[in-house]
Amino acid sequence: MSESQSSYKHTNRLINETSPYLLQHAHNPVDWYPWGEDALKKARQEDKPILLSVGYSACHWCHVMERESFENEQIAALMNMHFVSVKVDREERPDIDAIYMQAVQAMTGQGGWPMTMFLMPDGRPFYGGTYFPPQDRRYGQQVMPGFPRVLMSIADAFAHQRAELEEQATQVAEHLNRRGSALMQREAGTGAPVLDNLLRAERQLIEDFDVRYGGFGSAPKFPNTMALEFLLRMHLHRQSGQVGAAQSSNPPEALEVVESSLQHMAAGGIYDQLGGGFHRYSVDAKWLVPHFEKMLYDNALLSQLYLHAYLVTGNELYRRVVEETLDYVGREMTSPEGGFYSTQDADSEGEEGKFFLWSQEEIERALPPEDAALFMAYYGVSRHGNFEGKNILNRVQEEQTAAQQAGIDVATLRSSLGRSRDTLFGLREQRVKPARDEKVLTSWNGLMLRSFAEAARHLKRPDYLQVARKNASFLLDTLRQDGRLLRTFKDGRARLQGYLEDYAFLSDGLLALYEASFESRWFSEARTLMDQAIQLFADEQGGFFDTGTDHEALISRPRDIMDNATPAGNSVATDVLLHLAAFTGEDSYRQRADRYLGTLADIMVQHPQAFGQVLCALDFALSPVKELAVIGENQSADTQALLDCINARYLPQSVLACAAPEDQQASAAIPLLADRPLKEQHAAAYVCQNFACQAPVTTSQELAALL
């Protein structure tokens, strides 16, 4: 035992893990096991139920339950006596989380983290919940049972009512297996998807739109980026005349829904007004009070959405949000090796949000009086505050209004606010920062890789391109062993076999990096990963499983089809297949994607908030996709003029390839580039659509007409 470990009264098996969440529990008095054969074998041999606890490092209530129960000697003694206790980081093991989250939702009608499940020794669940207090606690007319009472009740039932628990566990296991396959076995109700599917989904989303504050529904409010992305695409269809005007009387337009949502989020407390980046969600309807944790995937998806909105509208606010968010990730969430960290906690010094909050007195001490007055008026700072006596910075005025009220011009206002933000950010950097989960997850890194690559391409940011290249090289070199992609990296160790989402998200990010750099290596790697994903995860009935054919046997083989906080692996895999088909002309990719989309066509339009990413894939499948090939030296002025013409636009129904005319390696890797000469010794752009190609053009004006 090391000197640092010997200073603790307790050290359990989690000390050998790399997950920061598991390591947080390594000195609990609970005899924790990580998920694996050792724990399952012990449960079988001793005939004990398994207590499965699932959470993640940025989860506030996970920390609460640890302090209240898992650090309690008496509660730990009950757990150790009657159960084999297993702790799982849901971010490392999405398969375990998905299976048992479905179970707890089926049993209780709700889910969340911490998730607390009780399993038979063979892993079948028979009882579960989320947070349990350390003793009985009354909420209104209801009493939430204390964790010790739950433990003793379960132990007694396991000893004396075993047959009933066995029957319950069997029923739950059968439910999980039926649920995992039912949707993929159904016949597509209306045949091949048609454009009407997109219109129906659009109408459903617009009906759910919060006209006052943007977003969908009421509190708590999450940034449903994928649904908004889909609506942005529907706006482009209307702009081009591919679909007609909305049918219902005076509804908001799709672009209005998107812009209202983006502007309210950017103004609210969910956005870090000083440091950039987004918090997880808002506890209220108007985006003011966030749950203060910051997740890598939220910032990846939101930065992409704001970038696309900038390309469509030219609104500089959106570009600023993109750059501030990516700068935050580069500054706070990037490892020296190039991997992106997973999360930042909501808490610092034991208080939620403390790092981000300000009192009026702090601001008045830090800033000159005139700057302080402007800053506080603009960001809604008051003496009584808007959150537990402190202030969450949020933009409560438009620049023009604030400038007029202060009797100054907008340029003077911006200069003052910029000085103030810099000063306060510097002061905030001296505070104790929230803890950071420094594990690198392949799937989430794939999402952020796409964000940096797209921003590099569309905003002409070579520094972002370098971040993307370094990240891609790190992932491919470090998180791939013996040809098998791995899930997670921490403290020099890459481990756990990759899931479908790891393969799909990384492949997607690499395609974006190819379109930003035109280095054929990235395209080849993306295609290789997708071909491997087909071998490991494909269900020949349609779609993909989340776990590979070489994965450990679980009570069911999970298959996620819904887009939640992150897109489903199936959704991104389908999108990648469609893009590869456009790049390569390989119809087998297209057929596999079409089969999956046809199966989901009805359900995705009935519940579009749960299928935003796959709706974007359906949009690509139904649209006249433009295949763009630019032939010319990458750095030459005529090539760059053609690329600039393309990259100034948001063209989601397109693929882009570029190579020098003599680059045989590129044309061999990407058939879209084959047999494309220069035109009269000038760089040329080839535009193909619906299996037909236009004559090559050499000027940006000619290309713009084709686009």
Side-chain angles (χ1 to χ4, degrees):
M1 183 178 292
S2 70
E3 183 178 342
S4 61
Q5 291 180 32
S6 65
S7 63
Y8 291 95
K9 184 177 179 181
H10 303 281
T11 300
N12 57 54
R13 293 167 186 80
L14 300 184
I15 197 66
N16 298 314
E17 297 298 302
T18 57
S19 159
Y21 175 66
L22 298 186
L23 289 170
Q24 287 168 5
H25 295 78
H27 299 292
N28 296 163
V30 178
D31 187 17
W32 288 117
Y33 281 76
W35 181 274
E37 182 54 32
D38 287 349
L40 300 174
K41 182 178 179 182
K42 179 180 174 67
R44 291 192 300 266
Q45 288 180 343
E46 298 184 7
D47 195 31
K48 285 185 174 180
I50 296 168
L51 192 164
L52 175 66
S53 176
V54 182
Y56 59 105
S57 66
C59 168
H60 171 73
W61 285 102
C62 297
H63 297 316
V64 172
M65 191 164 178
E66 181 192 14
R67 288 196 302 269
E68 292 179 341
S69 294
F70 302 148
E71 293 178 354
N72 182 294
E73 298 273 359
Q74 289 74 35
I75 294 177
L78 291 176
M79 295 171 65
N80 296 339
M81 179 182 300
H82 297 290
F83 302 92
V84 175
S85 298
V86 176
K87 176 61 74 172
V88 166
D89 181 342
R90 77 171 181 97
E91 296 168 354
E92 279 196 340
R93 294 299 305 262
D95 54 334
I96 301 297
D97 180 59
I99 290 171
Y100 294 106
M101 184 59 72
Q102 289 176 16
V104 77
Q105 288 171 339
M107 294 173 183
T108 68
Q110 60 185 19
W113 299 274
M115 175 168 60
T116 308
M117 293 296 299
F118 295 91
L119 322 178
M120 302 304 289
D122 61 4
R124 290 172 299 145
F126 61 86
Y127 182 76
T130 53
Y131 164 79
F132 290 100
Q135 60 271 327
D136 290 0
R137 189 173 294 170
R138 180 174 293 278
Y139 288 92
Q141 299 301 310
Q142 294 184 325
V143 175
M144 180 182 289
F147 197 42
R149 182 152 73 92
V150 172
L151 295 174
M152 292 307 299
S153 298
I154 295 294
D156 182 73
F158 190 81
H160 300 106
Q161 297 172 281
R162 182 70 172 265
E164 290 89 336
L165 296 188
E166 289 281 0
E167 182 179 358
Q168 169 81 354
T170 298
Q171 291 175 354
V172 174
E174 290 175 351
H175 167 79
L176 294 177
N177 280 296
R178 287 195 305 270
R179 187 181 187 276
S181 58
L183 280 170
M184 299 313 302
Q185 291 174 349
R186 66 191 287 274
E187 294 293 329
T190 57
V194 294
L195 199 59
D196 282 349
N197 293 101
L198 303 182
L199 294 171
R200 288 164 56 201
E202 179 193 38
R203 286 196 295 271
Q204 181 67 51
L205 288 171
I206 289 176
E207 286 177 7
D208 294 337
F209 171 57
D210 180 350
V211 178
R212 184 174 184 184
Y213 296 119
F216 304 103
S218 57
K221 191 172 280 185
F222 292 80
N224 197 327
T225 53
M226 291 162 272
L228 293 170
E229 180 75 48
F230 168 70
L231 289 176
L232 191 61
R233 293 180 179 212
M234 291 303 294
H235 165 72
L236 294 181
H237 283 306
R238 283 211 166 75
Q239 240 185 357
S240 65
Q242 291 172 328
V243 298
Q247 298 300 309
S248 55
S249 59
N250 198 31
E253 294 287 344
L255 185 62
E256 180 186 342
V257 174
V258 174
E259 289 214 79
S260 172
S261 301
L262 295 189
Q263 290 173 17
H264 278 95
M265 284 191 288
I270 193 174
Y271 185 66
D272 183 351
Q273 303 291 338
L274 292 185
F278 288 86
H279 300 293
R280 178 70 193 92
Y281 64 88
S282 173
V283 303
D284 55 50
K286 56 185 180 180
W287 308 104
L288 172 61
V289 180
H291 185 48
F292 287 93
E293 64 188 1
K294 287 184 177 180
M295 315 297 289
L296 183 70
Y297 57 77
D298 284 320
N299 286 286
L301 296 169
L302 281 161
S303 56
Q304 290 172 37
L305 177 59
Y306 276 88
L307 174 64
H308 300 160
Y310 168 69
L311 293 173
V312 171
T313 67
N315 189 329
E316 286 294 329
L317 168 67
Y318 303 151
R319 175 174 182 147
R320 180 169 68 81
V321 169
V322 173
E323 293 180 322
E324 289 178 353
T325 299
L326 295 183
D327 290 347
Y328 151 73
V329 173
R331 182 181 70 244
E332 302 270 353
M333 299 292 283
T334 305
S335 74
E337 303 93 342
F340 302 123
Y341 298 136
S342 294
T343 65
Q344 281 185 320
D345 277 6
D347 301 0
S348 56
E349 299 182 83
E351 296 182 26
E352 184 176 4
K354 182 176 181 179
F355 181 76
F356 301 98
L357 300 175
W358 294 88
S359 68
Q360 179 174 316
E361 292 76 11
E362 287 176 305
I363 292 172
E364 289 174 336
R365 286 197 303 268
L367 303 177
E370 289 186 3
D371 284 349
L374 287 172
F375 185 89
M376 291 189 294
Y378 189 73
Y379 287 107
V381 175
S382 66
R383 195 163 301 281
H384 54 79
N386 54 26
F387 179 73
E388 298 180 356
K390 294 290 186 71
N391 290 277
I392 300 168
L393 300 182
N394 69 118
R395 183 162 46 83
V396 298
Q397 292 181 311
E398 297 298 327
E399 286 183 334
Q400 191 68 42
T401 302
Q404 286 178 348
Q405 289 182 354
I408 58 177
D409 57 35
V410 170
T412 302
L413 174 73
R414 288 176 177 172
S415 178
S416 171
L417 294 175
R419 288 194 304 271
S420 298
R421 282 195 298 265
D422 290 344
T423 299
L424 294 176
F425 177 77
L427 287 175
R428 198 179 76 174
E429 285 293 282
Q430 300 172 28
R431 296 175 176 177
V432 176
K433 291 190 175 184
R436 182 172 61 193
D437 185 334
E438 295 186 353
K439 70 174 177 290
V440 173
L441 295 172
T442 302
S443 61
W444 297 5
N445 272 245
L447 294 175
M448 188 55 75
L449 169 61
R450 168 168 277 282
S451 294
F452 272 101
E454 284 200 27
R457 170 187 171 185
H458 293 293
L459 303 183
K460 291 190 170 184
R461 289 290 300 263
D463 54 333
Y464 289 167
L465 186 59
Q466 285 304 104
V467 172
R469 284 193 182 109
K470 187 174 181 179
N471 177 255
S473 296
F474 168 74
L475 295 173
L476 293 170
D477 295 344
T478 308
L479 281 126
R480 189 167 55 178
Q481 294 178 7
D482 300 323
R484 184 66 161 88
L485 197 62
L486 300 181
R487 169 71 174 173
T488 182
F489 176 88
K490 176 75 167 58
D491 295 334
R493 290 171 59 195
R495 55 195 297 267
L496 303 178
Q497 290 179 336
Y499 300 94
L500 170 64
E501 67 174 38
D502 296 302
Y503 279 81
F505 294 8
L506 179 54
S507 182
D508 189 48
L510 290 169
L511 286 181
L513 179 54
Y514 168 73
E515 291 185 304
S517 67
F518 306 116
E519 295 157 357
S520 57
R521 173 198 175 187
W522 308 124
F523 177 87
S524 298
E525 293 280 19
R527 187 175 184 181
T528 296
L529 286 172
M530 202 61 230
D531 288 342
Q532 291 174 342
I534 293 171
Q535 293 176 350
L536 285 166
F537 305 101
D539 177 1
E540 292 312 313
Q541 301 301 312
F544 297 85
F545 294 102
D546 294 334
T547 55
T549 54
D550 55 354
H551 197 75
E552 68 179 290
L554 302 170
I555 64 168
S556 68
R557 193 175 181 190
R559 182 209 310 267
D560 190 12
I561 63 170
M562 290 194 292
D563 302 311
N564 295 302
T566 58
N570 267 288
S571 301
V572 177
T574 301
D575 202 42
V576 171
L577 288 170
L578 292 168
H579 281 75
L580 286 175
F583 273 114
T584 66
E586 290 287 342
D587 194 50
S588 60
Y589 292 137
R590 175 75 192 216
Q591 290 178 4
R592 190 176 292 277
D594 284 347
R595 189 158 62 247
Y596 179 71
L597 292 171
T599 307
L600 288 185
D602 288 341
I603 192 172
M604 73 170 78
V605 300
Q606 294 167 12
H607 306 282
Q609 287 194 55
F611 292 94
Q613 183 68 36
V614 76
L615 279 167
C616 291
L618 179 62
D619 170 60
F620 190 93
L622 296 178
S623 298
V625 173
K626 286 183 168 60
E627 300 159 357
L628 309 175
V630 175
I631 304 301
E633 296 294 338
N634 199 336
Q635 299 304 317
S636 68
D638 53 352
T639 302
Q640 283 301 310
L642 295 174
L643 292 175
D644 287 348
C645 178
I646 295 168
N647 291 335
R649 293 165 167 80
Y650 179 45
L651 301 169
Q653 299 91 12
S654 71
V655 295
L656 172 63
C658 177
E662 68 278 3
D663 189 344
Q664 298 300 314
Q665 181 182 3
S667 59
I670 306 172
L672 183 59
L673 292 168
D675 302 319
R676 309 282 199 184
L678 297 174
K679 183 180 180 182
E680 299 173 354
Q681 301 306 306
H682 291 287
Y686 293 78
V687 180
C688 302
Q689 183 175 303
N690 290 339
F691 311 103
C693 295
Q694 304 295 316
V697 296
T698 58
T699 69
S700 57
Q701 292 81 4
E702 293 172 306
L703 180 55
L706 293 178
L707 296 179

